[in-house]
Amino acid sequence: MSTNSTDVQEYSVVKHPPEIKVPTPLWLKLRAYYGLIRPYNFRVAIPCLLNVCVLTAVVCVCVFLFFGKSLSIGTARFYFYCYIAVLLLVAAALSKARVLSYMILSWCLIELGLAFSSALYPRDIVKRTNPDDLAFIYHPLLQLVPRPNYHYTTHLNFRNVEEKAKAGGIDVAALQGLEIAFDHNSLGLRGKELTPDDLSKDLIFVYGGSTTYDSSVTQGETWTEHLQSDLDNQYTVLNFGVVAHSTEEHVIETAFYQDVVPKRPVCAIYYEGWNDVINVHLDNLDGAYANYHVLTTAVRRPDISLASYSPLLLFLNDMVKNRFDTVPKVPKIVGRAPVNGSDPRLEAVYIEHLKTLAGINNSRGIKTIFIGQIINKDYPQGPNVWAPLIKKGGFPPLIERFNSIMKDTAASMPGTKYIDAGNQDFQHSDFVDYAHFTIVGARKFASHIANQVGSFCK
């Protein structure tokens, strides 16, 4: 049977191109993994979102603080927020392990609560805002000393004392936010590194607290640097000033640590007053201020390293130390009724310290210069941790009394001189607070004492 060719239908085979698989974007994979696309997996999504929300809030706070100059890299506050951010990222990443994620989130919320609550956590890691948190290190005898080979910058901040500063005549608007640079040399002294040429000159050692360290004046403008310049650089002036140090620490420094350079000074200057007067009216005052002042200046590190920026761990660390550590806590004196007038016991201790300083120097052929504290008399200094039992307005007469004691003591000791820097010549513009100088004040102070220092130290 034949078949007509026209009856035959021909079919062409249609070839489809191979199917191309488009890779799923990573962000979609992550959304699917954390239950954030349909069908939603709320058991995973909720802990993830909660951690991300808290992390976002923390980041926003950090940005606000950074641009407000209240957050600097390297501070305790900086490491605290880094620590919280890392934990929240880990908690978000582990959202499938729902219980663990909630535990980490709870830990972070407790940390944040403790950090911002002075009632629960009085040491306030989160409020430590300046790089000077790291500028001083613990010393078993001196409690704190400058960290060698360290540079940092900070800014004047009147945020919590603005009204008090204005009442003291401080130009807050002009000084707010002013940058201050600090340099510590390899000896742990504020100032530049000493050269052989520096050491070839006669040396003058200067001791004092924060008003000698010049914590409100930038590098190159401290009164010790201006003093060297006013002495026509015939001497090399070494700044042994340390924040919070008093005559008690200066006795230790003079007796045991004058050999930091292989050459004795021709003169040792002591700018004293403020950090001694704070011990007034304390019960059973220790002759070395060991029952109050020394306890307030310690910068001992926590036993647990993480506790340096973890409020919860530091809280637990302190509970254990309070139970087992033999070092006593600072007595709770602030809040007790302040007292008028001077304190015979403190005056006797102060005189003994001054005589000891002059006696040590005399035995070594070193002349001693005492300079009384210069203050802003109009600054409203009342009871606080640095003046726990002094009534508001009671500081100026006390400083005047102790300057008089210093003058009389110097007159009774051979090889010893008292310099009155002329408190009456200083104006509000010379200070940033009660006693710390501005650049103008530091220059004025150096110029007021330079001639007498130069003639006595020859």
Side-chain angles (χ1 to χ4, degrees):
M1 180 177 179
S2 63
T3 304
N4 193 320
S5 60
T6 58
D7 295 332
V8 178
Q9 285 186 318
E10 294 182 358
Y11 296 91
S12 60
V13 177
V14 179
K15 294 184 178 181
H16 295 282
E19 185 178 346
I20 300 175
K21 294 184 177 180
V22 179
T24 305
L26 178 61
W27 66 275
L28 282 177
K29 289 182 179 179
L30 288 174
R31 284 183 60 187
Y33 182 82
Y34 290 109
L36 297 173
I37 60 175
R38 297 177 184 276
Y40 298 114
N41 184 351
F42 292 108
R43 291 171 60 86
V44 178
I46 289 177
C48 178
L49 290 173
L50 284 174
N51 282 286
V52 170
C53 287
V54 176
L55 176 61
T56 302
V58 168
V59 171
C60 290
V61 169
C62 290
V63 171
F64 175 79
L65 293 174
F66 180 80
F67 285 104
K69 296 184 178 180
S70 296
L71 179 64
S72 303
I73 295 175
T75 64
R77 172 180 278 189
F78 170 79
Y79 287 118
F80 167 76
Y81 283 120
C82 287
Y83 155 71
I84 294 296
V86 169
L87 283 183
L88 290 171
L89 282 172
V90 171
L94 298 177
S95 293
K96 281 204 168 183
R98 192 163 52 98
V99 174
L100 179 59
S101 180
Y102 280 130
M103 288 177 63
I104 298 175
L105 175 61
S106 300
W107 178 278
C108 291
L109 292 175
I110 293 172
E111 292 278 45
L112 289 167
L114 287 174
F116 285 100
S117 172
S118 59
L120 293 176
Y121 182 64
R123 290 168 67 180
D124 294 324
I125 282 177
V126 76
K127 294 182 180 178
R128 300 178 193 172
T129 60
N130 295 322
D132 58 4
D133 297 330
L134 305 174
F136 296 90
I137 55 178
Y138 177 70
H139 188 283
L141 289 179
L142 300 171
Q143 301 307 308
L144 78 166
V145 293
R147 183 184 296 275
N149 297 313
Y150 191 75
H151 171 82
Y152 68 102
T153 58
T154 185
H155 299 83
L156 286 180
N157 187 356
F158 297 90
R159 186 166 300 164
N160 298 319
V161 294
E162 185 172 353
E163 294 304 317
K164 185 184 290 187
K166 289 180 178 179
I170 309 301
D171 189 353
V172 173
L175 296 172
Q176 178 67 30
L178 181 67
E179 183 174 277
I180 308 171
F182 299 83
D183 288 321
H184 297 170
N185 61 26
S186 60
L187 300 176
L189 307 178
R190 187 175 184 192
K192 67 182 184 67
E193 195 66 26
L194 299 177
T195 65
D197 182 56
D198 292 326
L199 293 174
S200 68
K201 301 175 183 178
D202 286 337
L203 306 181
I204 296 177
F205 288 3
V206 182
Y207 298 90
S210 57
T211 52
T212 298
Y213 179 81
D214 250 358
S215 57
S216 55
V217 177
T218 197
Q219 201 64 50
E221 297 285 358
T222 65
W223 69 261
T224 54
E225 291 169 302
H226 282 296
L227 177 61
Q228 179 170 315
S229 178
D230 290 346
L231 293 171
D232 298 322
N233 289 305
Q234 295 180 8
Y235 300 87
T236 296
V237 179
L238 278 65
N239 187 346
F240 283 79
V242 180
V243 173
H245 276 196
S246 68
T247 54
E248 178 269 330
E249 287 89 358
H250 300 150
V251 167
I252 296 172
E253 288 181 286
T254 301
F256 303 114
Y257 298 108
Q258 273 191 345
D259 59 353
V260 293
V261 293
K263 184 179 180 180
R264 284 181 176 170
V266 294
C267 274
I269 299 175
Y270 299 87
Y271 182 40
E272 308 283 10
W274 191 359
N275 292 330
D276 286 85
V277 169
I278 66 172
N279 295 282
V280 70
H281 304 307
L282 297 179
D283 296 333
N284 304 313
L285 177 66
D286 181 82
Y289 304 156
N291 55 346
Y292 183 73
H293 169 73
V294 172
L295 299 176
T296 66
T297 60
V299 290
R300 296 174 62 197
R301 291 174 56 192
D303 300 312
I304 306 171
S305 297
L306 187 60
S308 296
Y309 43 88
S310 166
L312 184 54
L313 288 180
L314 186 52
F315 186 77
L316 297 174
N317 183 85
D318 285 351
M319 288 180 62
V320 175
K321 289 180 73 169
N322 291 340
R323 175 62 182 84
F324 298 106
D325 198 348
T326 57
V327 178
K329 294 180 65 177
V330 180
K332 294 181 179 180
I333 297 173
V334 178
R336 284 172 45 185
V339 182
N340 275 323
S342 189
D343 180 347
R345 168 60 180 163
L346 176 59
E347 290 185 5
V349 170
Y350 187 59
I351 292 170
E352 187 63 27
H353 288 180
L354 295 177
K355 287 184 175 180
T356 301
L357 291 170
I360 294 171
N361 287 325
N362 286 340
S363 70
R364 297 171 178 173
I366 301 169
K367 296 179 180 179
T368 302
I369 295 176
F370 291 127
I371 304 176
Q373 190 79 56
I374 299 293
I375 60 170
N376 178 2
K377 292 183 178 181
D378 293 329
Y379 194 87
Q381 181 78 28
N384 56 37
V385 70
W386 293 113
L389 297 177
I390 301 176
K391 283 188 175 181
K392 187 175 181 179
F395 234 106
L398 273 174
I399 291 293
E400 186 175 339
R401 168 65 180 163
F402 275 70
N403 287 350
S404 176
I405 291 172
M406 177 185 282
K407 181 179 180 180
D408 293 342
T409 304
S412 69
M413 298 291 292
T416 306
K417 180 178 180 59
Y418 175 79
I419 295 179
D420 181 355
N423 206 137
Q424 68 279 359
D425 296 331
F426 286 78
Q427 313 300 322
H428 296 145
S429 58
D430 297 319
F431 302 95
V432 302
D433 54 17
Y434 180 74
H436 295 99
F437 293 126
T438 59
I439 291 175
V440 175
R443 289 174 181 169
K444 181 184 291 187
F445 183 76
S447 67
H448 275 44
I449 66 174
N451 288 337
Q452 294 186 71
V453 170
S455 61
F456 185 71
C457 293
K458 284 183 180 179

